[in-house]
Amino acid sequence: MLLRINGLQSYFTEEGRGDPVVLLHGWGTSSQSLVPLCGDLADAYRVLAVDLPGFGWSQAPPVAWGTADYAEHLRRLLEQAGIERAALIGHSFGGRIAISLAATRPAGVSRLVLVASAGIRPPRRAGIHVRVTTAKLARWFFSLPGWGRTGQRIIAKVYGRFGSRDYRAAGLMRPTFVKVVNEDLSPLLPAIQAPTLILWGEQDQEVPRSAMETMAARIPRSRLVVLGGAGHFPFLDAPEEFGRTLKAFLQAGGGS
């Protein structure tokens, strides 16, 4: 289904009937990554799987967006879809958006599920400091008058060499990627009122366990569940345990 929100073509799929559940995918993927989860929930819920702006079939933002921009876009999408209150399930980058909406619009979020969620900025290791400093110095030097397009090409090469895998693959979404990953959502966590389930795979190489523990400690009504043998996509790595845990949590909430 396509909606036009603030001039942006925004795509989502919808399955099932019942209390609404909204699925938010991670960076670099789309709603397609959540198809198995969507199918698993559609027998009991009205499930919306959203292509976030810049991913899948949804248009990219015209300028660099932060997490709050994505949360506001999601709020308007749900409003146009006739949904006043829903359970949110956010994976990785999608977790950032779910956190922001749950903290700033608590009346609209019945239950919150954070799956290997981003949002806690970890301390940078020494090697990371060196890479970041090198990239910033290169950007400053090669942006000086006289370098022109040659300087821009050199800057692009430096950032391509020292940037993360997601940064290198971000393409036109790089400004948004940089803006989002530098945000620390820790101050928002105590404002979340919805019961919250935090799911994390013990083999996750993308999001550290310490970040999940921080979320569990700061979100008032939250619980952390570690899924053995699973990685950054626990709903694919351990689908049965993930599904049981998720459904039990959603069912405990009753109506939305």
XYZ file of all heavy atoms in Angstrom, residues 55-91:
290
model
N 14.265 3.507 1.980
C 14.464 2.055 1.922
C 13.268 1.400 1.231
O 12.150 1.900 1.299
C 14.649 1.469 3.321
C 15.759 2.110 4.089
C 15.505 3.161 4.969
C 17.065 1.695 3.913
C 16.529 3.760 5.668
C 18.107 2.292 4.613
C 17.838 3.328 5.486
N 13.525 0.249 0.610
C 12.447 -0.468 -0.045
C 11.783 0.387 -1.111
O 12.446 0.996 -1.950
N 10.443 0.478 -1.037
C 9.674 1.220 -2.028
C 9.359 2.644 -1.590
O 8.628 3.351 -2.289
C 8.372 0.475 -2.331
C 8.589 -0.845 -2.992
C 8.600 -2.075 -2.400
C 8.843 -1.080 -4.380
N 8.857 -3.059 -3.327
C 8.993 -2.485 -4.549
C 8.956 -0.254 -5.500
C 9.258 -3.061 -5.783
C 9.209 -0.827 -6.739
C 9.348 -2.211 -6.869
N 9.860 3.071 -0.450
C 9.573 4.422 0.043
C 10.637 5.407 -0.414
O 11.832 5.092 -0.436
C 9.484 4.437 1.579
O 8.346 3.732 2.024
N 10.197 6.602 -0.759
C 11.120 7.628 -1.229
C 12.066 8.076 -0.117
O 11.714 8.064 1.058
C 10.346 8.848 -1.733
C 9.688 8.661 -3.087
C 9.002 9.941 -3.540
O 7.969 10.316 -2.993
N 9.574 10.598 -4.527
N 13.256 8.492 -0.526
C 14.245 8.987 0.430
C 13.895 10.405 0.873
O 13.281 11.167 0.121
C 15.636 8.970 -0.199
N 14.278 10.778 2.087
C 14.051 12.152 2.544
C 14.819 13.130 1.652
O 15.905 12.810 1.150
C 14.612 12.161 3.967
C 14.747 10.727 4.353
C 14.946 9.954 3.108
N 14.305 14.349 1.471
C 14.985 15.330 0.618
C 16.248 15.905 1.252
O 17.112 16.430 0.555
C 13.922 16.408 0.408
C 13.042 16.312 1.624
C 13.014 14.855 1.978
N 16.337 15.820 2.578
C 17.512 16.286 3.322
C 17.853 15.220 4.355
O 17.117 14.251 4.529
C 17.243 17.642 4.027
C 16.974 18.732 3.008
C 16.073 17.516 4.998
N 18.976 15.411 5.044
C 19.364 14.456 6.083
C 18.344 14.477 7.212
O 18.040 15.532 7.770
C 20.750 14.793 6.612
N 17.814 13.298 7.543
C 16.853 13.168 8.624
C 17.518 12.603 9.863
O 18.474 11.823 9.776
C 15.724 12.222 8.217
C 14.598 12.876 7.490
C 14.597 14.102 6.905
C 13.295 12.322 7.249
N 13.386 14.350 6.316
C 12.570 13.279 6.513
C 12.695 11.112 7.581
C 11.255 13.062 6.108
C 11.388 10.894 7.176
C 10.667 11.863 6.448
N 16.974 12.989 11.022
C 17.345 12.377 12.284
C 16.246 11.441 12.735
O 15.197 11.307 12.081
N 16.461 10.802 13.874
C 15.479 9.851 14.387
C 14.125 10.499 14.621
O 13.074 9.903 14.324
C 15.992 9.229 15.698
O 17.249 8.591 15.456
C 15.023 8.203 16.239
N 14.106 11.719 15.135
C 12.836 12.400 15.401
C 12.043 12.636 14.121
O 10.803 12.574 14.132
C 13.089 13.725 16.116
N 12.733 12.898 13.020
C 12.049 13.088 11.739
C 11.365 11.794 11.301
O 10.233 11.802 10.809
C 13.046 13.540 10.667
C 13.709 14.852 11.009
O 12.995 15.835 11.272
O 14.957 14.896 11.044
N 12.078 10.672 11.466
C 11.490 9.387 11.116
C 10.289 9.067 12.008
O 9.271 8.527 11.552
C 12.533 8.277 11.224
C 13.371 8.108 9.977
C 14.621 8.685 9.867
C 12.893 7.357 8.904
C 15.386 8.533 8.719
C 13.648 7.191 7.754
C 14.887 7.786 7.670
O 15.630 7.634 6.521
N 10.410 9.386 13.293
C 9.302 9.116 14.218
C 8.068 9.936 13.852
O 6.938 9.435 13.901
C 9.735 9.414 15.654
N 8.270 11.183 13.474
C 7.141 12.019 13.077
C 6.520 11.506 11.781
O 5.290 11.517 11.625
C 7.606 13.471 12.909
C 6.554 14.427 12.376
C 5.307 14.542 13.258
O 5.344 14.129 14.436
O 4.284 15.066 12.747
N 7.346 11.049 10.860
C 6.836 10.473 9.618
C 5.978 9.239 9.917
O 4.893 9.070 9.348
C 8.000 10.097 8.702
C 7.581 9.576 7.367
N 7.350 10.385 6.284
C 7.336 8.302 6.940
C 6.979 9.657 5.243
N 6.961 8.388 5.618
N 6.462 8.393 10.826
C 5.707 7.198 11.196
C 4.389 7.581 11.855
O 3.345 6.975 11.584
C 6.544 6.331 12.141
C 5.841 5.084 12.690
C 5.462 4.121 11.569
C 6.730 4.385 13.715
N 4.415 8.588 12.705
C 3.174 9.032 13.365
C 2.143 9.436 12.323
O 0.959 9.071 12.413
C 3.468 10.209 14.293
C 2.247 10.670 15.091
C 2.465 12.004 15.760
N 2.558 13.093 14.793
C 1.504 13.653 14.192
N 0.277 13.222 14.432
N 1.668 14.649 13.347
N 2.563 10.167 11.309
C 1.629 10.621 10.276
C 1.149 9.462 9.414
O -0.008 9.434 8.984
C 2.299 11.693 9.414
C 2.621 12.958 10.181
C 3.009 14.098 9.286
N 3.255 15.307 10.067
C 3.233 16.536 9.558
N 2.973 16.705 8.271
N 3.483 17.581 10.315
N 2.032 8.507 9.159
C 1.628 7.329 8.391
C 0.527 6.565 9.128
O -0.484 6.178 8.534
C 2.833 6.428 8.132
C 2.615 5.196 7.243
C 3.909 4.831 6.515
C 2.159 3.979 8.060
N 0.728 6.363 10.427
C -0.268 5.634 11.213
C -1.572 6.418 11.297
O -2.665 5.843 11.256
C 0.272 5.353 12.617
C 1.493 4.429 12.676
C 1.958 4.252 14.123
C 1.186 3.081 12.047
N -1.468 7.716 11.391
C -2.664 8.556 11.422
C -3.463 8.388 10.127
O -4.694 8.222 10.159
C -2.251 10.011 11.615
C -3.403 10.987 11.727
C -2.915 12.401 11.972
O -2.265 12.962 11.049
O -3.167 12.949 13.054
N -2.777 8.418 8.992
C -3.460 8.257 7.711
C -4.026 6.852 7.545
O -5.015 6.650 6.838
C -2.517 8.582 6.555
C -2.199 10.064 6.426
C -1.590 10.409 5.087
O -1.911 9.815 4.072
N -0.687 11.384 5.078
N -3.385 5.872 8.192
C -3.881 4.496 8.128
C -5.003 4.248 9.126
O -5.525 3.131 9.209
C -2.730 3.522 8.391
N -5.374 5.275 9.878
C -6.472 5.156 10.826
C -6.111 4.453 12.121
O -6.985 3.893 12.789
N -4.839 4.500 12.495
C -4.373 3.820 13.709
C -4.001 4.862 14.763
O -3.079 5.663 14.560
C -3.164 2.917 13.398
C -3.584 1.796 12.448
C -2.574 2.344 14.680
C -2.441 0.931 11.979
N -4.704 4.845 15.874
C -4.435 5.796 16.949
C -3.428 5.247 17.962
O -2.703 6.012 18.599
C -5.731 6.154 17.677
C -6.739 6.878 16.800
C -7.981 7.259 17.568
O -8.046 6.955 18.791
O -8.892 7.862 16.971
N -3.404 3.919 18.103
C -2.576 3.299 19.135
C -2.153 1.918 18.647
O -2.976 1.155 18.135
C -3.375 3.190 20.437
C -2.626 2.652 21.638
C -3.519 2.814 22.860
N -3.055 2.076 24.019
C -2.129 2.507 24.872
N -1.550 3.673 24.680
N -1.774 1.772 25.920
N -0.866 1.612 18.779
C -0.368 0.345 18.239
C 0.809 -0.150 19.056
O 1.474 0.613 19.769
C 0.069 0.528 16.783
N 1.066 -1.441 18.938
C 2.304 -2.014 19.461
C 3.379 -1.815 18.392
O 3.119 -2.006 17.200
C 2.126 -3.499 19.752
N 4.564 -1.413 18.818
C 5.673 -1.189 17.892
C 6.745 -2.255 18.096
O 7.137 -2.539 19.223
C 6.297 0.190 18.107
C 5.408 1.415 17.957
C 6.246 2.684 18.122
C 4.698 1.427 16.602
N 7.218 -2.823 16.989
C 8.336 -3.763 17.025
C 9.427 -3.198 16.128
O 9.259 -3.120 14.909
C 7.912 -5.161 16.539
C 6.766 -5.699 17.392
C 9.098 -6.120 16.576
C 6.215 -7.033 16.914
N 10.538 -2.774 16.720
C 11.599 -2.139 15.959
C 12.881 -2.939 16.005
O 13.385 -3.251 17.086
N 13.412 -3.279 14.832
C 14.677 -4.000 14.753
C 15.801 -3.028 14.418
O 15.710 -2.270 13.455
C 14.607 -5.086 13.669
C 15.916 -5.753 13.401
N 16.496 -5.809 12.150
C 16.779 -6.392 14.243
C 17.645 -6.459 12.225
N 17.836 -6.810 13.478
